[in-house]
Amino acid sequence: VDLKECLQSADFITSSDGNFKILEDGSVYTTSPVSLSAEKKTFSILLKDTQEHVQKKIHVSLVEEEKRKMRHARDTVLKRTKRRWGPIPSVMIENSLGPFPLQIQQVQSDTAQNYTIYYSASGPGIDQDPKGLFYIERETGNIFATRAVDREQYPSFQIICFATTPDGYSPEVPLVHTIRIEDDNDNAPYFTQDLFEFSVLENSKPGVVVGRVTAEDRDEPYTLHTTLKYRIVSQNPPVTPAFSLHGDTGVIAVLLPQLDRELVSSYTLLVEVRDMAGQPFGLCTTGTVVIRIEDTNDNAPSFKQTQYETRVEENRVNVEILRISVVDLDEPGSPGSGAVYEIIRGNDDRSFEITTDKNTNEGVLCVVKGLDYETAKQRVLVIAVNNEAPYMLAPHSQQLSQSTSSVTVHVLDMDEGPVFKPCHLRIDVKECEDIGTSIGRYVAEDPETGNSEGICYRIPPGQCNWINIDEKSGEVRTIKVLDRDVGEMRRGQCNITVLAIDRNGKTGTGTIQVVIQPGNKNHPRIAKTEYIMCRDRKPICLTAQDGDESPYGVPFSFRITDRSLASSWKITRHNDNSVYLSPKGDIPFGTYNIPVSVTDNGGKVGENYVKVNYCDCVTPTECTGGPRVYAAGNVTLGLWAILAMILGSLLLLLILITICGCCGSGVMHRQVTDDCANHNLIISNTEAPGEEVMDHNIIPLQSSCDQGGYGIKTGDQQTFEMVKGRGHTLESVKGGGHQTLGSVKEGGGGGGGQPVMDTCRYSYSEWHNFTHPRLGEKVHLCRQDEEQKHSEDYLLSYNYEGKGSLAGSVGCCSDQHEEEALDFLDQLEPKFRTLAETCIKR
């Protein structure tokens, strides 16, 4: 069979039928006589690669060879004969006892019938190491072995056989012949380690794997010579068997359900390995296995004593006063035996502390806070102990209770120094307090007497230089103005150590923590104070700032402090630190300095002036120069403005006198009506006429004309309109808060809005209420030249209270007189300056 084609790397070849054997070159031969029946005889050849763990099978079937029929004598008889120049591989048993030389094979050439053939051989075992092990007879071709061979050293030999004639001719191709050394069970198995060491936790359950022992055998693999069996020969200590050993695998497992380290800490096993599948005639070897039992915390610690007593002087701190010992059966030094002590009662004030000495496993009890004899003469502590590792309950055992011990600590009385109560005092003080302000009192007591007599106080140097304490009373005062923005006060606090000294010179210490709380030291102010407002009167946003922290900052309160300006300007809240500033109604163009007070959340007030330039513009960039300045609500008028007012008043007075004369009869009334129809009469924003002027003599009611007109309407919306000849309306005035010329209320004051026609007279206040909201209108005396001059003469002849002219608007009729009119108006008293609105606005 072709073994290489099936599995080229095969290093193990065996047959499933012992009657047949397969050599390494694929030759199959019988090991005993074989009788073939009618049925086919089959067997398998198993090939294995032990390194790669690959195996394959070749199935072989044997059938009986059919007998050949004899031919006639005249026919040539063809007969196939077996060649002898290619024998099957030879087999030699290792460690053979001889006798030697031992013939193991013969090679012959079929040409020996015709030639004289001499045989020779070379290769390992002949002319190569081990030399002289084999030789071949020159004439017969017999191969002999001269001595025994160890298979483990030389498992096989391949020699080359030659057949030659005396003259050197080789009628045969050189023959490669294999001599295989058959294994003999001459090697006992051996353990791979001299000593096997394993460990397992105590109280492990049966079946838990502890480890595995391994052995090897140098004999031929996959034979009985290398089939091994393991067993435990003995156990030390010789108690109940604690472990089992699997015979085929060598695996050791727990057998005893209760492994107790405290009873047996380790086991030593004597194990045996035997070949020939453990048969008594097999070779064997013994080895040693040591199994250590690892500790678990199945034993709770317990105190050696249940009661202790100790003493300590009062006020002693960080001093050891007692050592406590425990007993633990677990392995020393392991977490299962490491003691952890705890004070479970009597240490509410944390005056005691207990730790573990790692070297001795003792509990060390210390005082960490001074004890007071006057408060308690003795303390009773209850101490418990546990282990570092969690407790593991052993099988079939009961839970143990925690071990405790009581310690009585006797406090010894000592003469002690003053004691501050409390030992740490916090004092909060607001910044900006005056120098010498008392911020608190810090005193100490004599523990023996319980009072503060004879104790003096001082602050050691090198601490806060802005706090001092009175030597006798313990009063704490400031020696600097506290400011969180200066020097070391920026930290906002300072810890001060205070010494208390009694009459005997004994000293006690305490600590004052002075914390500076933020104060209200900054005035709120408006960030931006100059603005330009155009004719759209878009509200101005005023934003205030304050350098103080909460709660002395926002929210801010805004208020206009000037009453006259507060009536024409209003403030609307936006958020905590800003408001909107806007006019309440129609106001003249000009610059207003508005005083606004801002109050922070702490009540501190900041005064600010907001300058608003109310300009006749669309965008603020258009307003570069502007009219005269209104300062604090006052108007400054020039000389020419005053002159124009006087001239305008006189002209208006002349017109009124003329109209009054014409209204004496129906003819005059009709004449005035005709004049109204033929001429343009435009309203001039002058102040009221005198007390004696009659309303129905000035302007007729409900009149109209073709080219222009005027009229008075009564009701909720009262309007006085004077229209040019071209038919353009100049002004409309709503009568909500003012009176029109034809709707004066009785008594000069109220809100009925009904015209009074019977008295035909108006007071100054009623006339002023009508003309005041119309001061922004420009007076146009746009009639014919002679009529204009007639009106000017009329106004110039009229004085009001002897103080000046009410016709300041006359100067506005011509642009060349505007500056002179302004200068004139500047000289008037405040009550007449409102007339300057006309010229300023235009």
Side-chain angles (χ1 to χ4, degrees):
V1 293
D2 191 349
L3 303 180
K4 299 299 182 181
E5 182 180 358
C6 183
L7 184 61
Q8 186 174 3
S9 60
D11 55 3
F12 176 74
I13 307 170
T14 185
S15 172
S16 62
D17 191 340
N19 292 323
F20 301 92
K21 196 158 188 174
I22 299 91
L23 303 183
E24 292 180 356
D25 62 352
S27 301
V28 183
Y29 64 93
T30 60
T31 58
S32 61
V34 177
S35 175
L36 295 178
S37 62
E39 298 179 357
K40 295 181 179 180
K41 189 171 186 62
T42 62
F43 65 95
S44 299
I45 301 173
L46 179 64
L47 305 178
K48 289 186 179 180
D49 183 347
T50 57
Q51 299 295 329
E52 300 294 334
H53 302 287
V54 179
Q55 67 178 19
K56 290 189 177 182
K57 287 184 178 182
I58 300 175
H59 298 281
V60 179
S61 299
L62 296 181
V63 295
E64 184 180 2
E65 186 178 6
E66 295 181 357
K67 295 181 179 180
R68 298 180 182 270
K69 295 182 179 181
M70 297 299 295
R71 295 174 179 258
H72 295 287
R74 65 179 182 269
D75 295 334
T76 303
V77 177
L78 299 178
K79 183 179 181 181
R80 182 181 182 87
T81 59
K82 183 178 181 181
R83 285 179 54 83
R84 293 180 293 172
W85 185 239
I88 63 175
S90 304
V91 177
M92 177 182 176
I93 298 177
E94 72 167 327
N95 302 321
S96 176
L97 299 178
F100 296 102
L102 177 65
Q103 182 180 355
I104 59 175
Q105 187 60 278
Q106 181 184 18
V107 293
Q108 284 187 330
S109 174
D110 293 336
T111 62
Q113 297 175 3
N114 302 321
Y115 301 96
T116 300
I117 298 297
Y118 294 132
Y119 299 97
S120 62
S122 66
I126 297 178
D127 55 359
Q128 299 177 15
D129 291 333
K131 294 180 180 180
L133 179 60
F134 303 103
Y135 70 90
I136 187 171
E137 285 184 340
R138 186 168 179 258
E139 291 81 9
T140 63
N142 292 325
I143 301 173
F144 293 90
T146 60
R147 60 183 182 271
V149 182
D150 186 4
R151 190 204 67 85
E152 284 70 42
Q153 187 177 4
Y154 302 105
S156 66
F157 297 89
Q158 282 191 335
I159 62 175
I160 301 175
C161 300
F162 302 95
T164 59
T165 60
D167 57 359
Y169 171 68
S170 297
E172 297 282 359
V173 177
L175 172 67
V176 179
H177 183 67
T178 300
I179 302 174
R180 193 173 67 84
I181 309 301
E182 190 171 306
D183 182 51
D184 182 32
N185 190 20
D186 59 341
N187 292 280
Y190 61 92
F191 285 103
T192 57
Q193 295 177 216
D194 295 334
L195 177 66
F196 292 92
E197 293 182 306
F198 305 109
S199 62
V200 64
L201 290 174
E202 64 176 331
N203 302 317
S204 294
K205 296 180 179 180
V208 174
V209 175
V210 177
R212 180 184 179 186
V213 294
T214 56
E216 296 179 353
D217 196 320
R218 296 181 61 197
D219 290 324
E220 185 175 0
Y222 307 106
T223 64
L224 285 175
H225 299 164
T226 55
T227 303
L228 308 180
K229 286 287 185 180
Y230 302 90
R231 73 183 183 92
I232 297 176
V233 178
S234 64
Q235 172 185 295
N236 187 30
V239 293
T240 305
F243 304 96
S244 63
L245 177 60
H246 193 278
D248 295 329
T249 61
V251 173
I252 300 175
V254 175
L255 181 63
L256 185 67
Q258 293 179 348
L259 293 176
D260 192 350
R261 190 206 65 84
E262 286 71 39
L263 296 178
V264 181
S265 60
S266 68
Y267 292 85
T268 302
L269 305 180
L270 181 65
V271 296
E272 176 192 87
V273 58
R274 186 181 295 270
D275 61 12
M276 300 300 291
Q279 297 296 327
F281 52 83
L283 303 178
C284 68
T285 303
T286 59
T288 303
V289 179
V290 175
I291 303 175
R292 291 190 303 273
I293 309 302
E294 292 186 352
D295 182 53
T296 59
N297 189 23
D298 58 345
N299 293 280
S302 60
F303 286 100
K304 291 182 178 180
Q305 294 180 224
T306 57
Q307 292 184 349
Y308 293 89
E309 285 193 16
T310 185
R311 290 173 174 77
V312 63
E313 297 174 354
E314 65 174 334
N315 299 321
R316 292 287 303 277
V317 293
N318 298 325
V319 58
E320 178 184 325
I321 60 174
L322 183 65
R323 281 182 173 257
I324 303 173
S325 300
V326 295
V327 176
D328 197 322
L329 298 178
D330 293 317
E331 183 177 1
S334 68
S337 65
V340 178
Y341 299 90
E342 180 186 8
I343 303 174
I344 60 176
R345 282 201 301 273
N347 191 32
D348 296 337
D349 58 352
R350 305 292 180 183
S351 298
F352 299 91
E353 184 180 89
I354 189 167
T355 57
T356 303
D357 188 335
K358 297 297 183 181
N359 296 323
T360 62
N361 209 32
E362 294 177 317
V364 181
L365 183 63
C366 299
V367 177
V368 295
K369 187 187 295 183
L371 302 177
D372 187 5
Y373 173 81
E374 288 73 25
T375 302
K377 296 179 175 56
Q378 72 177 20
R379 300 282 293 274
V380 178
L381 308 176
V382 177
I383 300 175
V385 63
N386 292 296
N387 289 128
E388 296 176 7
Y391 182 76
M392 298 181 63
L393 188 64
H396 311 293
S397 63
Q398 296 181 352
Q399 181 68 45
L400 298 178
S401 60
Q402 187 181 43
S403 179
T404 60
S405 179
S406 63
V407 179
T408 302
V409 181
H410 299 280
V411 183
L412 303 180
D413 187 23
M414 300 293 294
D415 185 13
E416 48 196 331
V419 177
F420 282 98
K421 293 184 179 180
C423 62
H424 185 278
L425 177 65
R426 172 180 171 134
I427 299 178
D428 293 335
V429 57
K430 291 184 179 180
E431 61 179 335
C432 302
E433 293 285 359
D434 295 334
I435 297 176
T437 300
S438 176
I439 61 175
R441 190 166 179 264
Y442 195 39
V443 296
E445 295 181 356
D446 189 335
E448 307 297 332
T449 62
N451 56 53
S452 303
E453 295 180 1
I455 299 177
C456 60
Y457 309 91
R458 68 183 182 90
I459 298 176
Q463 303 189 67
C464 295
N465 59 356
W466 32 279
I467 298 296
N468 197 6
I469 189 170
D470 188 86
E471 183 177 352
K472 299 298 182 182
S473 64
E475 195 79 20
V476 182
R477 299 181 180 275
T478 60
I479 57 176
K480 287 185 178 180
V481 176
L482 305 185
D483 190 348
R484 290 166 60 94
D485 298 328
V486 177
E488 63 179 7
M489 300 183 197
R490 288 191 177 95
R491 293 180 298 177
Q493 69 176 34
C494 181
N495 294 331
I496 306 170
T497 301
V498 181
L499 302 179
I501 306 170
D502 63 9
R503 295 187 182 96
N504 299 326
K506 291 187 176 294
T507 304
T509 60
T511 303
I512 299 176
Q513 182 185 31
V514 179
V515 179
I516 305 176
Q517 300 292 340
N520 195 11
K521 63 180 180 180
N522 295 299
H523 295 275
R525 62 183 182 85
I526 297 176
K528 181 180 177 182
T529 58
E530 293 189 4
Y531 297 91
I532 296 176
M533 178 182 288
C534 290
R535 68 169 69 101
D536 58 0
R537 302 197 302 180
K538 182 179 180 181
I540 297 170
C541 185
L542 304 180
T543 302
Q545 298 175 346
D546 193 331
D548 295 321
E549 298 179 8
S550 178
Y552 302 110
V554 295
F556 298 130
S557 298
F558 296 77
R559 187 174 65 88
I560 299 176
T561 56
D562 187 278
R563 291 186 177 180
S564 62
L565 290 174
S567 63
S568 57
W569 292 85
K570 65 179 178 178
I571 286 177
T572 306
R573 188 172 190 81
H574 177 217
N575 53 31
D576 287 347
N577 65 336
S578 61
V579 294
Y580 288 116
L581 177 65
S582 60
K584 288 184 178 180
D586 292 335
I587 60 172
F589 291 112
T591 302
Y592 296 85
N593 283 329
I594 306 172
V596 179
S597 67
V598 184
T599 306
D600 61 20
N601 196 39
K604 205 147 195 173
V605 181
E607 297 292 341
N608 305 266
Y609 276 89
V610 180
K611 184 177 180 181
V612 181
N613 183 4
Y614 182 31
C615 183
D616 186 10
C617 60
V618 177
T619 59
T621 55
E622 299 176 6
C623 189
T624 56
R628 299 291 179 167
V629 175
Y630 283 70
N634 297 327
V635 181
T636 303
L637 302 178
L639 177 61
W640 288 103
I642 298 174
L643 179 59
M645 290 174 60
I646 296 175
L647 294 176
S649 300
L650 294 176
L651 180 60
L652 178 61
L653 181 60
L654 181 59
I655 293 173
L656 294 175
I657 294 173
T658 303
I659 294 175
C660 290
C662 295
C663 292
S665 63
V667 177
M668 293 302 295
H669 182 277
R670 187 164 49 254
Q671 183 180 356
V672 173
T673 304
D674 295 338
D675 290 339
C676 179
N678 296 325
H679 302 285
N680 296 325
L681 178 61
I682 307 302
I683 186 172
S684 63
N685 287 327
T686 62
E687 296 202 12
E691 294 284 345
E692 301 300 326
V693 178
M694 303 300 292
D695 178 51
H696 65 278
N697 292 327
I698 297 176
I699 302 176
L701 299 177
Q702 304 297 337
S703 299
S704 60
C705 56
D706 295 335
Q707 296 181 354
Y710 53 90
I712 298 174
K713 301 177 182 179
T714 62
D716 292 338
Q717 298 292 330
Q718 300 170 2
T719 306
F720 176 66
E721 299 179 352
M722 304 299 288
V723 183
K724 292 182 180 181
R726 291 185 300 270
H728 298 291
T729 300
L730 295 181
E731 189 66 49
S732 297
V733 179
K734 296 181 180 180
H738 304 282
Q739 300 290 340
T740 60
L741 188 58
S743 60
V744 180
K745 298 175 288 180
E746 291 189 23
Q754 298 298 327
V756 180
M757 301 302 296
D758 52 351
T759 61
C760 297
R761 292 183 179 273
Y762 294 92
S763 65
Y764 164 73
S765 60
E766 293 170 335
W767 178 265
H768 177 71
N769 288 338
F770 164 70
T771 58
H772 180 68
R774 306 176 59 80
L775 294 179
E777 299 178 4
K778 183 176 180 180
V779 175
H780 296 277
L781 300 178
C782 300
R783 304 180 61 179
Q784 299 297 329
D785 292 341
E786 62 275 13
E787 295 178 4
Q788 179 175 347
K789 184 176 184 306
H790 176 74
S791 300
E792 290 174 356
D793 294 340
Y794 179 84
L795 292 174
L796 288 174
S797 64
Y798 181 76
N799 271 349
Y800 175 70
E801 296 182 355
K803 300 296 183 179
S805 174
L806 299 179
S809 302
V810 174
C812 296
C813 294
S814 58
D815 295 336
Q816 62 269 22
H817 297 301
E818 182 175 354
E819 293 297 325
E820 290 83 356
L822 290 173
D823 294 337
F824 178 76
L825 292 173
D826 288 340
Q827 300 177 14
L828 291 179
E829 292 183 3
K831 65 191 304 180
F832 301 113
R833 292 176 189 170
T834 53
L835 295 174
E837 186 79 18
T838 302
C839 292
I840 292 175
K841 181 176 181 181
R842 299 303 178 186

